[in-house]
């Protein structure tokens, strides 16, 4: 994967927005396979928010942020609307002609749900269930002389605890339970054909930990860690036998800042490191390749992502947000 992704989004939150509906273009809505933000509110802030928690999506980036939230329930859905295309030149199969295709991938809903329950004045319990990663294409039969299809979707369920040590410092941890589906028709075999790998689903796991420090009522800083999300091999029945593919999702480190400029105006900024080199440099790898399908060889490098968002209380019932997310890869 190469190139740069930039995003500029604006969202309005009315009447507290317990249920929020978002619509974004996936061409500018992912960092690699990870969505830029979890849920409509965080996405409207450009994916920032580890040090400025606004809703239960904070659990997914820094569970310590729950200490700043009162008891609440959030739910909604984001529509993932892919807009992908490729352009290739000098392909021997087509006599050196230029080939350009647009993907026919349809709309994919990504559910968002979370709750926070105060146990006492120091301890909070929470649960987040968010779509956190996805990608895919569906090209007509011109690339490799065959249809090319890929699909990857991941939902994370994260029970979490936060503890306020004192007025300045809070810590938090979360268990990650992941549900992922994957399928593809891609990668030529030794015979120059593409073997279909219909969707398989697997359950994975990982964990999160974070700290939130508030030196003043206006300023906050956060540091959080998201472990590698590990999965069993994805298994596919093909006409040549069973194929097994080893694919995990990488660890993340997030440094965040939050500042309340005025009681009505707040700004958040995050710097995220995604360790793609560990999971996607040479992978995914076949643990068993009965169909002799070609290696993926994604050759992804580690990624630095920069996110900033601003929230403004326009009135007692209207909040305006604008965000920007940049990730080079």
């Amino acid at each position: 994967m190469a190139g740069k992704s930039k995003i500029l989004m604006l969202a309005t939150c009315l009447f507290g927005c317990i249920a929020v509906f978002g619509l974004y273009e996936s061409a500018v809505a992912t960092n690699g396979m990870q969505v830029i933000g979890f849920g409509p509110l965080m996405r409207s802030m450009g994916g920032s928010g580890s040090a400025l928690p606004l809703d239960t999506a904070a659990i997914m980036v820094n569970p310590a942020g729950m200490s700043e939230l009162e008891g609440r329930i959030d739910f909604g859905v984001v529509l993932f609307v892919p807009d992908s295309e490729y352009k290739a030149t000098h392909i021997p199969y087509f006599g050196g002609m230029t080939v350009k295709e647009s993907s026919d991938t349809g709309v994919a809903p990504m559910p968002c749900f979370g709750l926070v329950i105060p146990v006492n004045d120091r301890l909070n319990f929470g649960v987040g269930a968010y779509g956190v990663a996805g990608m895919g294409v569906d090209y007509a039969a011109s690339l490799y002389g065959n249809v090319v299809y890929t699909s990857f979707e991941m939902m994370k369920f994260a029970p979490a605890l936060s503890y306020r040590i004192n007025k300045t410092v809070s810590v938090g941890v979360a268990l990650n339970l992941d549900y992922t589906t994957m399928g593809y028709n891609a990668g030529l075999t030794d015979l120059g054909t593409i073997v279909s790998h219909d969707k398989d689903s697997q359950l994975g796991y990982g964990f999160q930990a974070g700290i939130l420090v508030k030196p003043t009522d206006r300023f906050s800083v956060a540091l959080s860690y998201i472990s590698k999300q590990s999965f069993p091999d994805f298994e596919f029945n093909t006409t040549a036998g069973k194929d097994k593919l080893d694919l995990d999702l990488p660890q993340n480190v997030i440094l965040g800042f939050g500042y309340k400029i005025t009681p009505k105006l707040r700004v958040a900024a995050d710097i995220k490191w995604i360790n793609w080199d560990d999971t996607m440099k040479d992978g995914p790898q076949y643990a068993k390749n009965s169909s002799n399908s070609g290696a993926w060889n994604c050759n992804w490098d580690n990624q630095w992502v920069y996110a900033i968002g601003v929230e403004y209380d326009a009135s007692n019932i209207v909040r305006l947000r604008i965000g920007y997310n940049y990730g080079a890869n």
Side-chain angles (χ1 to χ4, degrees):
M1 183 179 70
K4 300 178 179 179
S5 63
K6 298 182 178 180
I7 185 161
L8 182 66
M9 296 173 294
L10 179 66
T12 302
C13 182
L14 300 174
F15 305 102
C17 280
I18 294 178
V20 188
F21 183 77
L23 180 63
Y24 305 99
E25 293 294 326
S26 70
V28 288
T30 59
N31 299 131
M33 290 189 290
Q34 296 185 10
V35 297
I36 68 161
F38 308 122
L41 271 65
M42 186 176 291
R43 290 169 76 101
S44 68
M45 294 286 284
S48 62
S50 66
L52 188 71
L54 301 178
D55 67 352
T56 54
I59 296 172
M60 314 308 287
V61 291
N62 183 8
M66 285 195 303
S67 293
E68 298 297 306
L69 300 175
E70 298 178 347
R72 61 183 292 144
I73 297 176
D74 300 306
F75 63 91
V77 63
V78 172
L79 286 186
F80 197 65
V81 186
D83 182 16
S84 304
E85 66 178 20
Y86 79 86
K87 182 179 181 180
T89 58
H90 193 60
I91 303 177
Y93 299 114
F94 300 96
M97 65 184 293
T98 298
V99 179
K100 184 176 181 179
E101 285 287 348
S102 296
S103 174
D104 295 324
T105 307
V107 175
M110 302 184 71
C112 316
F113 171 80
L115 64 85
V116 172
I117 302 174
V119 178
N120 54 45
D121 58 352
R122 288 177 178 259
L123 182 67
N124 279 1
F125 169 77
V127 175
Y130 285 79
V132 298
M135 66 184 304
V137 296
D138 185 3
Y139 290 125
S142 57
L143 182 64
Y144 304 119
N146 204 337
V147 295
V148 173
Y149 166 83
T150 61
S151 175
F152 181 87
E153 300 160 357
M154 176 176 167
M155 181 84 180
K156 181 184 289 186
F157 177 79
L161 291 172
S162 69
Y163 183 74
R164 188 186 300 276
I165 298 175
N166 51 45
K167 292 183 178 180
T168 303
V169 181
S170 297
V171 295
V173 294
L175 175 66
N176 294 164
L177 303 173
D178 309 316
Y179 175 77
T180 298
T181 64
M182 181 183 183
Y184 59 94
N185 295 346
L188 295 175
T189 68
D190 293 341
L191 299 177
T193 60
I194 295 179
V195 175
S196 175
H197 295 77
D198 293 333
K199 276 191 176 182
D200 182 41
S201 61
Q202 293 292 344
L203 299 177
Y205 63 91
F207 71 92
Q208 298 170 195
I211 183 171
L212 179 69
V213 180
K214 295 185 64 178
T216 70
D217 289 338
R218 289 190 173 188
F219 178 69
S220 57
V221 61
L223 181 65
S224 60
Y225 173 74
I226 303 173
S227 75
K228 178 192 290 189
Q229 307 299 298
S230 300
F231 295 90
D233 292 340
F234 290 85
E235 299 186 359
F236 307 94
N237 290 318
T238 74
T239 55
K242 187 181 292 292
D243 284 357
K244 296 183 179 181
L245 195 69
D246 180 14
L247 174 63
D248 299 320
L249 271 291
Q251 62 181 342
N252 292 218
V253 178
I254 306 172
L255 176 65
F257 304 91
Y259 187 70
K260 298 179 180 179
I261 301 174
T262 71
K264 292 186 177 182
L265 183 62
R266 294 162 289 278
V267 61
D270 280 6
I271 302 172
K272 179 188 294 186
W273 176 75
I274 307 177
N275 188 199
W276 292 115
D277 182 89
D278 180 47
T279 60
M280 297 290 285
K281 186 70 173 182
D282 301 317
Q285 292 286 324
Y286 281 104
K288 183 177 182 181
N289 190 1
S290 300
S291 65
N292 292 318
S293 292
W296 281 91
N297 293 331
C298 291
N299 199 33
W300 287 18
D301 293 324
N302 295 331
Q303 187 177 41
W304 287 95
V305 177
Y306 306 91
I308 187 169
V310 179
E311 181 183 63
Y312 176 68
D313 297 344
S315 71
N316 291 333
I317 61 172
V318 177
R319 289 183 179 179
L320 302 177
R321 300 185 181 91
I322 188 169
Y324 179 83
N325 183 285
Y326 174 85
N329 191 24

